[in-house]
Amino acid sequence: MAVKSSKSEIKKTTAMATTARLFLLSISSGQVLSANPDGSDLKPIVSEGRRLPDGIVVDAEAGHLYWTNMGNPTADDGSIERSDLDGSNVTHIVPPGGTFTPKQLQLDEKNRKLYWSDREGMRIMRANLDGSKIETLIDTSEGDARPGKDIRKQCVGIALDVEGRKVYWTQKGPDNGGDGRIFRANLEIPKGQSAANRKDIELLYEGLPEPIDLELDLANRTIYWTDRGDPPRGNTVNRAPMDPSQGNGKKEPEIVFGHLEEGIGIALDLKGGRMFMTDLGGSVYSANLDGSNKKQLLFVEGNLTGIAYAEIPGLTR
């Protein structure tokens, strides 16, 4: 009996085994890439051409990747794609023109929705995972026509606190303008208000060089983001409290990683206490959440944008 029990446990453990992978986007080659978390086994799994992919998320349980394609910033041709984890079965979820210039993308696993920021569209949007029910939750245009030319109104990064019912986003402002901001609002538009006139928007941080992509450490109530502005405050990874007004005054962001070459993507492995970053210089980096144990995993890999980390049940490579 002891032997049978041991074999049963081995089978159970094997069935529950997971494989960690990084998924990243090359804006220069129009590819979705996959790699081990140490940078090895790098390979393209989707090649779409010059459609300017920017944000990527993984639905590990369903076995799907989702990513945004910015398209032409002056044309209404942005889209969101889906594929299997090996890059097969690519399909449009949000077809070209369903959004203007989609940037960072986030997955609400609980409610089975995608959220993204639309840069020239000057809005925060969401849809069901099949692309149905596309909604504008926040409209920052103040009546300006799309494509929006006022860079201060353009939305770039996005992050979700589903349990707290909040969405966070960045508006980077002009290049190196020191006018970047981070906002949050409720996931639902308040009753009697609209995406364009909602009153629940909070400004959390301002005066930032150029904040780009966002991630949240909900357990420690901390925001992480990349900044592609000029040094010393730009080309960095920063972190700051999700609730800056609580406690003894408003805390300033802490720089935990520097020397990026136009930093874009960020992904957190909270269980492993580490983060992964990409930059337009073509590098992928890892570090502990406090910025220690810095490693350059990949370099000169084109112009890299979004990145996602996932633990995939039973994934074979």
Side-chain angles (χ1 to χ4, degrees):
M1 292 295 292
V3 174
K4 287 183 180 179
S5 175
S6 177
K7 286 182 178 178
S8 174
E9 288 301 317
I10 290 171
K11 285 183 179 179
K12 185 177 180 182
T13 302
T14 302
M16 294 174 62
T18 61
T19 300
R21 294 292 285 180
L22 294 175
F23 297 91
L24 51 149
L25 300 172
S26 170
I27 199 173
S28 50
S29 66
Q31 291 180 316
V32 181
L33 307 167
S34 176
N36 288 323
D38 63 1
S40 64
D41 192 35
L42 176 69
K43 58 187 177 183
I45 57 173
V46 178
S47 295
E48 287 199 303
R50 296 277 304 190
R51 301 177 63 197
L52 306 186
D54 189 83
I56 186 167
V57 293
V58 183
D59 186 351
E61 287 191 11
H64 289 147
L65 300 174
Y66 295 86
W67 66 93
T68 60
N69 283 321
M70 293 186 289
N72 184 340
T74 62
D76 191 2
D77 65 349
S79 63
I80 298 177
E81 320 299 307
R82 185 189 72 202
S83 78
D84 295 342
L85 294 176
D86 62 1
S88 62
N89 298 316
V90 177
T91 184
H92 286 304
I93 296 302
V94 175
T99 180
F100 215 103
T101 317
K103 297 287 286 177
Q104 192 178 10
L105 182 69
Q106 294 288 359
L107 171 67
D108 175 356
E109 295 184 59
K110 179 180 178 182
N111 300 296
R112 312 307 291 161
K113 287 184 177 289
L114 293 170
Y115 286 73
W116 67 94
S117 50
D118 185 345
R119 190 178 63 194
E120 273 75 13
M122 301 172 289
R123 54 196 170 182
I124 300 298
M125 305 182 74
R126 74 178 173 194
N128 293 332
L129 294 187
D130 63 0
S132 63
K133 199 179 179 184
I134 298 174
E135 302 174 86
T136 295
L137 298 179
I138 296 153
D139 183 340
T140 62
S141 69
E142 298 179 335
D144 290 359
R146 297 180 176 88
K149 294 182 170 37
D150 185 345
I151 297 175
R152 289 190 82 250
K153 297 178 181 179
Q154 295 178 357
C155 304
V156 180
I158 189 171
L160 300 177
D161 176 4
V162 175
E163 295 303 320
R165 306 301 299 158
K166 298 286 186 181
V167 58
Y168 293 70
W169 72 97
T170 63
Q171 292 174 217
K172 79 176 188 66
D175 293 352
N176 304 306
D179 202 14
R181 293 167 292 168
I182 298 176
F183 298 87
R184 77 175 163 200
N186 295 320
L187 283 179
E188 304 300 333
I189 299 173
K191 189 174 181 180
Q193 299 176 27
S194 71
N197 71 2
R198 53 190 298 171
K199 311 299 183 188
D200 61 331
I201 295 174
E202 300 175 75
L203 172 62
L204 300 181
Y205 295 96
E206 59 185 330
L208 307 174
E210 279 187 77
I212 306 294
D213 283 2
L214 289 172
E215 288 293 337
L216 301 179
D217 177 356
L218 296 174
N220 294 296
R221 301 294 296 171
T222 302
I223 311 173
Y224 287 78
W225 69 91
T226 53
D227 193 301
R228 64 177 287 192
D230 285 343
R233 294 181 62 209
N235 273 316
T236 54
V237 175
N238 302 258
R239 67 179 180 183
M242 290 170 60
D243 308 294
S245 298
Q246 293 185 3
N248 299 322
K250 191 170 183 176
K251 294 185 179 179
E252 289 299 312
E254 174 191 6
I255 295 173
V256 294
F257 195 98
H259 306 294
L260 296 172
E261 294 185 44
E262 297 197 63
I264 302 290
I266 183 169
L268 303 184
D269 169 19
L270 294 173
K271 187 167 68 174
R274 57 183 173 170
M275 55 185 173
F276 299 91
M277 299 76 67
T278 58
D279 63 24
L280 291 181
S283 294
V284 178
Y285 301 91
S286 70
N288 295 338
L289 294 178
D290 63 0
S292 62
N293 195 27
K294 296 178 173 66
K295 297 176 183 177
Q296 186 175 25
L297 306 178
L298 296 165
F299 60 96
V300 197
E301 293 293 344
N303 306 125
L304 301 180
T305 51
I307 187 169
Y309 170 85
E311 294 183 358
I312 313 298
L315 178 68
T316 58
R317 301 193 304 274

